[in-house]
Each structure stands twice: as structure tokens, then as C-alpha cells.
Amino acid sequence: MIVYVGLGSNLGDRGAQIRAALDQLGALPGTIVAAVSSVYETAPIGAVEQPWFLNAVARLETELEPRQLLWNLLRIEHALGRERRQLRGPRVIDLDLLLADDLVLDEPGLRLPHPELVNRAFVLVPLTELDPMLVHPETGETMLRHLSRLGSSQVVRPALGQSG
């Protein structure tokens, strides 16, 4: 199964957190990190005052089912020190399961594709870098088309040095 995972961090050494998460993703059973986008610096979304994020997207080849993978993403977040204290608040690491092949799922705690995917330039920019013609399984449109709809309303810029 081909899956895409969004990675983000805005606390501590952000670049090191993303690298550590990628290492742990690659260590999952039956999983290979096939490609990783560039790292981007992005403005936080929401009313909470917080530092800017580093974001990237990884393409994985995995034998894990989406629910198993989600469980492992949460486990990795916890192992790297993520504490869920505030909705859309600052975080050491954030791992989001974005897409899994062309699956469309709506289960308690697991929706695929990720429900906010088409509204987030910080995910669409690195996702289209990996595959500009990737098609959203529900809309039938490319991620590049969804990104073009967002215009310049969200700041996403290449990260220089890709660290803290």
C-alpha cells in the first residue's frame, strides 16, 4: 500500500524532530520510506499564538493496514514527546495519515483521505512536490488543482537549514 504521511513540528529542534520521526517510520514492520519532500516553513493555523512550523510529507510503502499505521503514528508522536494539551496548539511532532492508496474511509478516529487535506497548503505543497498529478480519491481532482484554489492565502516557504 502507498501512503502519504504529513510531518510537522514547531517546538524544540524542529528539523531533528522530523528526522527522528522519519527514522521511526522507516523502522515500522513491512514499511519503507520511499520518498520525502523538501522541508517547508509554514505559519501556524488557528487563533493560538505559537512558533512557525517545519512541515514535510513522506511517501511510504507499507504492508500495515491504515488503522495499524495510524496507531503507530500516534505511538511515534508519544515516543517523541508529543503532549495533546490544546487543539491546534504547539507540538513537538505531528504525524497525519493523509492518503492510503485510493481508499476512502470514514470510521471513528480514522478518515481517509484526511478531511482537511485540501484546505492546507502546508500539506499540499510538499505533497505536490512528491507527485504533482496525485489525484484526490473523493474529488477526482489533482492535488495541484486543489493547491491552486488556495492561492496565496497560506504562507509556505522553503526552510533554510531545516532545523530549530
Side-chain angles (χ1 to χ4, degrees), residues 2 4 14 16-17 23 41 51 58 69 72 76 91 96 111-112 115-116 123 126 131 135 137 145 150-151 153 164:
I2 302 294
Y4 291 88
R14 302 170 301 165
Q17 294 289 11
D23 287 346
E41 192 167 35
L69 183 57
N72 278 285
I76 291 169
R91 55 213 102 148
D96 288 327
R111 289 184 58 198
L112 287 173
E116 292 296 318
V123 171
D131 186 351
V135 172
R145 177 74 183 120
L150 292 180
S153 62

Side-chain angles (χ1 to χ4, degrees), residues 7-23 39 53-56 92-93 159 161-164:
L7 302 99
S9 174
N10 74 339
L11 293 177
D13 186 338
R14 302 170 301 165
Q17 294 289 11
I18 288 174
R19 287 188 297 276
L22 287 166
D23 287 346
V39 177
F53 279 85
L54 287 186
N55 289 100
V92 169
I93 193 70
Q162 301 181 11
S163 66

Side-chain angles (χ1 to χ4, degrees), residues 2 4 16 20 38 44 47 57 59 62 68 77 80 88 90 135 139 142 147 164:
I2 302 294
Y4 291 88
S38 300
V57 170
R59 181 173 56 232
T62 186
Q68 295 171 306
E77 286 181 343
L80 293 176
R88 294 192 178 155
V135 172
T139 67
T142 65
L147 179 59

Side-chain angles (χ1 to χ4, degrees), residues 3-9 21 25 45 53 55-60 66 69-74 76-77 82 84 88 91 93-100 109-117 120 122-123 127:
V3 301
Y4 291 88
V5 174
L7 302 99
S9 174
L25 288 171
I45 294 177
F53 279 85
N55 289 100
V57 170
R59 181 173 56 232
L60 309 179
L69 183 57
L70 179 62
W71 183 86
N72 278 285
L73 297 182
L74 295 171
I76 291 169
E77 286 181 343
R82 169 121 188 226
R84 294 176 184 270
R88 294 192 178 155
R91 55 213 102 148
I93 193 70
D94 186 29
L95 301 174
D96 288 327
L97 182 53
L98 305 171
L99 296 159
L110 177 59
R111 289 184 58 198
L112 287 173
H114 190 288
E116 292 296 318
L117 174 65
R120 295 177 169 173
F122 66 85
V123 171
L127 195 57

